[in-house]
């Protein structure tokens, strides 16, 4: 089974440059003819904005219609918001807007001898950080959803797709704020993965591709199709390119993941265009619940 993972398209009616990149990716996808396409979030440039989120998410969803019914789309922080205390926290309104305009924020499907599970990464940590009631309820429901998906895998190997990476530099790292799972949720998540034959975790968010593994778990960070981050704008060391990922999953549980360059993608650098695409009223004013001065800006990925 060939799955193409795309991520961080950051589409917007006010950003024709990322639309053009998406059209190049779409043409490439049509040639590749994968069995399934999975988008790991940040579909929209600013779908979490109160005023323009509706138009941004609708624009992103319309662009994905070019994939037909062969695509599963997960939300990123720029689609449904992020931690409480940040400028755009996950709340009932943002979750409803995603569901109405794009679709479910999680999935569990069986394909090619595998169980494929998609999660809304932005729910993890809501309860611990005092998130809004709807966000906490959605997080609790998603833990149950994940546990049921893993319990019901019926011998199939499992691949999990989600916007944020499990870790950024090390599995035992502390809080990375904006970037990876928080330590408490990471420990709970990894215990489930280890108990249930999870073979692959594939995420986006970092705009910086990497293919590696941890204790037998294959790990992929997909590149964006829109922009790369400049030096010092993210944590950890990984690649710096646009593109997509081809995952070949065989029924015996083998994972072969490769980064693919997409002909015609124009590489934009956040350090050059960040202020333009995320004006000061959108983000960059709040480093999140930790408030560390040395953390990258909220709007970076
Ligand atoms: Fe993101
Ligand atoms: Fe992103």
């Amino acid at each position: 089974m060939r799955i193409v993972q795309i991520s961080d398209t950051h589409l917007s009616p006010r950003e024709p440059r990322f639309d053009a990149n998406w059209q190049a990716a779409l043409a490439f996808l049509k040639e590749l003819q994968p069995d399934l396409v999975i988008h790991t979030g940040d579909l929209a440039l600013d779908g979490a904005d109160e005023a323009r989120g509706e138009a941004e998410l609708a624009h992103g969803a319309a662009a994905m219609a070019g994939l037909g019914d062969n695509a599963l789309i997960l939300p990123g922080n720029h689609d449904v918001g992020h931690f409480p205390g940040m400028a755009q926290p996950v709340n009932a309104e943002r979750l409803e807007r995603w569901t109405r305009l794009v679709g479910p924020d999680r999935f569990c499907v069986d394909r090619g001898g595998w169980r494929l599970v998609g999660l809304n990464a932005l729910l993890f940590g809501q309860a611990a950080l005092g998130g809004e009631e709807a966000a906490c309820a959605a997080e609790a429901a998603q833990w149950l959803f994940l546990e049921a998906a893993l319990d019901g895998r019926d011998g199939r190997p499992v691949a999990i797709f989600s916007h944020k990476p499990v870790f950024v530099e090390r599995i035992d790292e502390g809080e990375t704020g904006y970037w990876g799972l928080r330590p408490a949720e990471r420990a709970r998540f990894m215990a489930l993965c280890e108990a249930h034959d999870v073979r692959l975790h594939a995420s986006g968010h970092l705009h910086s591709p990497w293919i590696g593994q941890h204790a037998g778990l294959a790990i992929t960070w997909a590149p964006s199709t829109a922009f790369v981050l400049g030096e010092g704008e993210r944590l950890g060391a990984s690649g710096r390119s646009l593109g997509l990922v081809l995952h070949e999953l065989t029924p015996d549980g083998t994972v072969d993941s490769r980064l693919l360059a997409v002909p015609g993608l124009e590489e934009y650098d956040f350090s050059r265009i960040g202020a333009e695409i995320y004006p000061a009223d959108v983000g960059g004013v709040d480093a999140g619940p930790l408030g560390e001065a040395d953390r990258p800006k909220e709007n970076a990925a």
Side-chain angles (χ1 to χ4, degrees):
M1 174 173 53
R2 297 162 76 236
I3 298 175
V4 167
Q5 181 188 359
I6 57 175
S7 203
D8 296 85
T9 46
H10 288 256
L11 298 172
S12 164
R14 61 193 164 90
E15 190 42 77
R17 292 174 294 190
F18 301 161
D19 268 358
N21 272 5
W22 169 243
Q23 289 305 320
L26 188 58
F28 187 63
L29 279 167
K30 284 180 175 164
E31 279 184 24
L32 274 180
Q33 299 226 334
D35 298 302
L36 182 65
V37 177
I38 297 177
H39 191 313
T40 44
D42 284 354
L43 169 67
L45 186 61
D46 199 15
D49 183 64
E50 277 180 31
R52 57 186 169 209
E54 187 94 4
E56 302 253 328
L57 281 185
H59 181 86
M64 292 303 122
L67 292 169
D69 56 8
N70 197 30
L72 296 166
I73 307 170
L74 295 166
N77 50 301
H78 289 292
D79 303 314
V80 297
H82 211 152
F83 289 135
M86 289 184 167
Q88 299 171 329
V90 176
N91 61 22
E93 181 190 19
R94 294 189 170 99
L95 292 173
E96 184 278 331
R97 190 161 57 212
W98 172 269
T99 306
R100 174 168 45 84
L101 294 173
V102 185
D105 67 350
R106 67 202 75 155
F107 62 77
C108 175
V109 298
D110 295 331
R111 301 276 180 91
W114 282 68
R115 173 150 285 198
L116 309 175
V117 179
L119 300 174
N120 178 349
L122 291 313
L123 298 178
F124 291 123
Q126 290 292 327
L129 293 168
E132 287 204 9
E133 190 178 340
C136 295
E139 183 189 12
Q142 182 167 259
W143 280 114
L144 293 176
F145 175 88
L146 174 59
E147 288 163 6
L150 295 175
D151 283 341
R153 66 190 176 81
D154 195 21
R156 299 176 190 87
V158 178
I160 296 182
F161 296 81
S162 188
H163 185 60
K164 289 174 71 171
V166 176
F167 62 87
V168 178
E169 290 178 298
R170 300 183 322 274
I171 192 71
D172 59 349
E173 69 196 10
E175 174 74 75
T176 56
Y178 184 85
W179 296 106
L181 284 190
R182 302 174 68 251
E185 288 78 30
R186 182 194 313 135
R188 182 174 174 183
F189 180 80
M190 288 304 297
L192 287 170
C193 289
E194 285 157 16
H196 289 284
D197 201 24
V198 176
R199 302 291 182 95
L200 169 67
H201 187 275
S203 56
H205 189 50
L206 299 178
H207 291 233
S208 188
W210 180 66
I211 291 175
Q213 61 88 34
H214 167 74
L217 173 67
I219 294 175
T220 292
W221 301 345
S224 166
T225 62
F227 58 88
V228 297
L229 298 183
E231 286 297 316
E233 287 174 327
R234 59 164 297 272
L235 303 177
S238 49
R240 180 185 150 90
S241 63
L242 301 181
L244 44 77
V245 180
L246 176 64
H247 299 286
E248 296 201 45
L249 308 183
T250 49
D252 67 358
T254 304
V255 176
D256 180 15
S257 303
R258 274 170 285 159
L259 300 174
L260 297 184
V262 175
L265 279 195
E266 189 73 33
E267 186 174 292
Y268 299 102
D269 187 326
F270 186 82
S271 63
R272 296 221 172 93
I273 65 169
E276 190 185 329
I277 62 174
Y278 287 114
D281 66 329
V282 172
V285 293
D286 174 1
L290 302 173
E292 296 102 326
D294 61 342
R295 289 295 185 227
K297 288 190 290 188
E298 184 181 348
N299 63 11

